[in-house]
């Protein structure tokens, strides 16, 4: 039987119409005092963008009600308001974060410490009202700091302050946790490929709509100037978080001296080493968020040592002889 050209074209069009052509869509908004941007690879069967946006907002609002230090009615704020040494029942979210934080605290020799909130407030970083406190003010707070003063009962989801004045700040780990929760919600909605970014913290999974790997840009760690330093080609497709912490993002200057928001809980003062930026790649965004801050706290030499000991994928950018230098851990190099 002879098929004319018109019939052949109609058959080809019909067949192509049956195939699901992946496309990239964007969802963005404001939450947790910052912005979020999400790229999604949709196949035509996925949920509508309106519903996705609603689910993302609801997820972030729920996390905010538990972990935000800027809301007086959040769970962590209410915990901080209770100055006693009784056992306090807490949510699964807070329990999970404190267990991870305590591990990183121990493995960073105490440099990563969620109990630095009073110091953060004292230096004015909490409300962007920066000041240099006196040594007497710092000394008055130091005895009331330390994750060792916080007991966490993971099984029964409760915590106990060994010092009633202990305060907890989850900001160095909550955003990574939020990225993970949003990513999990997308997967529950049937979305298998995505890029989730909240306040600069990111997680990707799968591939782009055209089949390419996701590519993530790392900023040059210089204040006031937005410049691309490096592009990471994410070859792992099962889910990878890319988190960056930097001393150049949140600081203030006085009399020619820069004071970073990364505070050493042992001295009560901003760190003074030459490490400017830490990027961590990890399959769990919560761990990645904790580690990037911990490594930024300890400095370039100790960060390089810890990265190898913990087999972390880490990119360090530091200053040497007034020039920016890079150090990549073995695991990071192998991933590129």
């Amino acid at each position: 039987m002879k098929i004319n050209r018109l019939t052949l074209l109609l058959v080809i069009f019909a067949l192509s119409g049956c195939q699901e052509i992946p496309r990239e869509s964007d969802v963005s908004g404001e939450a947790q005092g910052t912005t979020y941007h999400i790229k999604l690879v949709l196949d035509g069967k996925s949920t509508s963008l309106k519903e996705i946006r609603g689910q993302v907002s609801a997820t972030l609002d729920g996390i905010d009600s538990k972990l935000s230090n800027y809301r007086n009615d959040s769970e962590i704020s209410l915990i901080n308001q209770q100055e006693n040494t009784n056992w306090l029942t807490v949510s699964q979210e807070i329990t999970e974060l404190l267990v991870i934080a305590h591990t990183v605290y121990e493995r960073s020799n105490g440099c990563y410490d969620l109990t630095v909130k009073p110091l953060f407030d004292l230096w004015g970083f909490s409300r962007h009202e920066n000041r240099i406190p006196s040594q007497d003010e710092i000394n008055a707070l130091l005895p009331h700091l330390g994750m060792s003063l916080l007991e966490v009962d993971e099984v029964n989801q409760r915590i106990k302050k060994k010092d009633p004045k202990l305060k907890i700040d989850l900001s160095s780990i909550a955003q990574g946790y939020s990225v993970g929760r949003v990513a999990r919600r997308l997967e529950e909605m049937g979305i298998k490929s995505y890029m989730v970014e909240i306040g600069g913290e990111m997680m990707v999974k799968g591939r782009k709509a055209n089949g390419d790997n996701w590519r993530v840009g790392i900023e040059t760690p210089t204040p006031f100037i937005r410049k691309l330093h490096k592009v990471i080609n994410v070859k792992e497709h099962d889910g990878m978080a890319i988190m960056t912490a930097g001393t150049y993002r949140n600081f203030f200057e006085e009399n020619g001296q820069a004071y970073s928001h990364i505070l050493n809980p042992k001295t009560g003062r901003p760190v003074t080493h030459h490490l400017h930026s830490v990027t961590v790649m990890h399959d769990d965004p919560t761990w990645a968020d904790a580690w990037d801050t911990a490594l930024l706290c300890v400095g370039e030499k100790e960060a390089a040592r810890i990265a190898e000991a913990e087999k972390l994928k880490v990119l360090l950018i530091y200053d040497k002889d007034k020039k920016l230098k890079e150090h990549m851990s073995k695991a990071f190099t192998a991933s590129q």
Side-chain angles (χ1 to χ4, degrees):
M1 180 178 68
K2 186 176 180 181
I3 301 177
N4 63 40
R5 186 180 179 190
L6 177 60
T7 303
L8 182 61
L9 287 173
L10 289 173
V11 170
I12 293 173
F13 178 78
L15 288 174
S16 65
C18 294
Q19 296 175 351
E20 296 172 356
I21 302 174
R23 68 185 192 281
E24 284 180 22
S25 298
D26 296 273
V27 173
S28 61
E30 296 182 358
Q32 300 181 341
T34 185
T35 59
Y36 69 83
H37 299 86
I38 302 172
K39 286 186 177 294
L40 311 159
V41 179
L42 303 178
D43 58 11
K45 292 182 180 179
S46 300
T47 313
S48 69
L49 288 179
K50 182 179 180 181
E51 183 171 349
I52 291 170
R53 187 176 289 107
Q55 291 291 335
V56 169
S57 294
T59 299
L60 293 174
D61 288 345
I63 295 171
D64 213 38
S65 69
K66 293 180 172 64
L67 310 184
S68 174
N69 282 309
Y70 296 97
R71 288 180 51 168
N72 292 329
D73 63 342
S74 71
E75 182 180 1
I76 195 63
S77 291
L78 294 175
I79 289 171
N80 285 336
Q81 292 165 26
Q82 297 191 51
E83 296 191 350
N84 59 62
T85 57
N86 301 327
W87 280 107
L88 303 173
T89 300
V90 297
S91 63
Q92 181 182 348
E93 290 89 339
I94 288 181
T95 304
E96 181 181 339
L97 295 189
L98 291 180
V99 168
I100 292 173
H102 201 278
T103 300
V104 178
Y105 166 80
E106 291 180 334
R107 295 179 184 176
S108 65
N109 195 28
C111 212
Y112 181 71
D113 193 334
L114 299 187
T115 70
V116 296
K117 177 173 171 48
L119 276 178
F120 211 66
D121 295 342
L122 183 65
W123 283 84
F125 287 110
S126 299
R127 303 294 177 184
H128 303 289
E129 298 171 351
N130 304 119
R131 59 182 286 263
I132 302 174
S134 69
Q135 189 60 49
D136 286 343
E137 289 177 299
I138 294 172
N139 291 342
L141 293 181
L142 291 179
H144 307 293
L145 305 181
M147 292 289 288
S148 59
L149 298 175
L150 182 66
E151 190 172 346
V152 181
D153 182 353
E154 185 177 7
V155 174
N156 297 303
Q157 287 185 204
R158 58 181 187 165
I159 64 173
K160 179 195 286 188
K161 302 178 185 180
K162 298 178 183 178
D163 183 329
K165 293 186 178 181
L166 202 71
K167 310 290 183 186
I168 303 168
D169 187 330
L170 297 169
S171 58
S172 66
I173 194 172
Q175 212 156 71
Y177 178 78
S178 299
V179 169
R181 281 284 300 275
V182 168
R184 190 189 317 162
R185 188 70 193 99
L186 294 177
E187 292 179 27
E188 291 169 352
M189 300 174 76
I191 299 167
K192 297 180 175 60
S193 294
Y194 53 77
M195 175 186 283
V196 176
E197 179 264 324
I198 303 176
E201 311 291 28
M202 191 173 299
M203 184 170 185
V204 302
K205 187 173 183 179
R207 298 175 184 268
K208 299 180 69 174
N210 62 4
D212 290 346
N213 295 330
W214 293 107
R215 290 162 60 84
V216 177
I218 305 299
E219 282 185 349
T220 302
T222 50
F224 313 121
I225 300 175
R226 304 297 296 269
K227 183 180 178 182
L228 184 64
H229 177 83
K230 191 181 193 70
V231 175
I232 296 177
N233 185 27
V234 185
K235 298 177 182 179
E236 295 89 345
H237 303 134
D238 292 333
M240 183 61 60
I242 304 96
M243 304 283 171
T244 299
T247 56
Y248 64 99
R249 288 181 172 177
N250 189 359
F251 70 98
F252 71 95
E253 290 183 333
E254 189 164 318
N255 298 324
Q257 175 70 40
Y259 297 90
S260 167
H261 75 292
I262 303 297
L263 302 173
N264 186 327
K266 296 180 180 179
T267 65
R269 293 184 170 276
V271 296
T272 57
H273 51 62
H274 301 288
L275 181 58
H276 297 310
S277 172
V278 175
T279 297
V280 176
M281 296 176 64
H282 200 287
D283 55 6
D284 189 316
T286 308
W287 282 94
D289 204 12
W291 271 123
D292 67 2
T293 304
L295 297 180
L296 190 61
C297 181
V298 300
E300 60 271 24
K301 293 182 180 179
E302 184 65 3
R305 186 196 69 77
I306 293 174
E308 299 306 331
E310 299 292 332
K311 296 181 173 55
L312 298 171
K313 298 181 180 73
V314 172
L315 167 66
L316 308 176
I317 304 177
Y318 60 98
D319 181 89
K320 185 176 181 180
D321 300 326
K322 297 184 179 181
K323 292 183 179 180
L324 291 178
K325 302 289 184 179
E326 282 187 358
H327 172 82
M328 303 179 194
S329 67
K330 292 178 181 177
F332 184 93
T333 301
S335 72
Q336 295 304 291

